[in-house]
Amino acid sequence: MSYVGVAEKTSTALARDREFLVFSLGEEEYAIDILKVQEIRGYDNVTRIANAPDFIKGVSNLRGVIVPIVDLRIKFRLSDAVYDDQTVVIVVNIAERVVGIVVDRVSDVMTLSDEQIKPAPEFGVSLPLDYISGLGNLEHRMLVLVDIEKLLTSREMALVAEAGE
């Protein structure tokens, strides 16, 4: 095997590995592409917006930028949201929009290869399949991979953009 052949295999393998930020909503673990994450902040009180959908908690001022804050547990119709000292806001930057998403806690960053990512199931999940890009299959963990871009570009989420303006 030539050196060039090894280098090509290595670069091909690296191109297939992707990093995900892992977070929890209730008992389930979810993950989003780390490249979409701008920063992680502690949850602070937000300014409520009248007549906004319940999953939009309000807006927050992030260094001069008004950021709509979305509670994913409410959006995904999971159990009641309880805010504690582990509740965090993941600030994501998608399609020139900055949005904060409230999650129960962030646990780690995982690197997954294509072989570890399985197609989304056709039933048995509590959120619409449009938002699931797959399942991360690890030895003792199962991660629901959320396509945050699809989630935040849906018609319903256009309200988020309006809340931030």
Side-chain angles (χ1 to χ4, degrees), residues 15-126:
R16 291 182 181 166
D17 290 344
R18 296 177 17 204
E19 288 188 316
F20 294 88
L21 179 68
V22 180
F23 60 92
S24 297
L25 296 173
E27 300 295 319
E28 305 298 326
E29 286 190 302
Y30 298 83
I32 58 174
D33 189 333
I34 193 77
L35 297 177
K36 305 293 183 194
V37 176
Q38 180 176 318
E39 65 182 273
I40 301 169
R41 305 173 51 89
Y43 180 77
D44 287 329
N45 288 331
V46 298
T47 302
R48 305 272 313 164
I49 303 293
N51 298 321
D54 59 346
F55 63 89
I56 299 177
K57 300 304 295 178
V59 294
S60 182
N61 186 338
L62 178 64
R63 294 181 295 277
V65 176
I66 303 302
V67 178
I69 305 295
V70 174
D71 190 315
L72 277 191
R73 192 172 357 183
I74 297 171
K75 172 74 177 142
F76 292 166
R77 297 189 179 120
L78 300 174
S79 60
D80 292 334
V82 177
Y83 301 98
D84 60 23
D85 59 344
Q86 293 192 2
T87 303
V88 296
V89 175
I90 302 172
V91 180
V92 295
N93 195 342
I94 296 173
E96 300 181 18
R97 273 193 270 175
V98 179
V99 177
I101 55 174
V102 180
V103 301
D104 292 345
R105 69 179 181 278
V106 170
S107 57
D108 52 357
V109 174
M110 300 288 299
T111 300
L112 298 175
S113 66
D114 283 346
E115 293 77 29
Q116 292 174 302
I117 299 174
K118 306 299 179 199
E122 301 209 5
F123 59 90
V125 294
S126 58

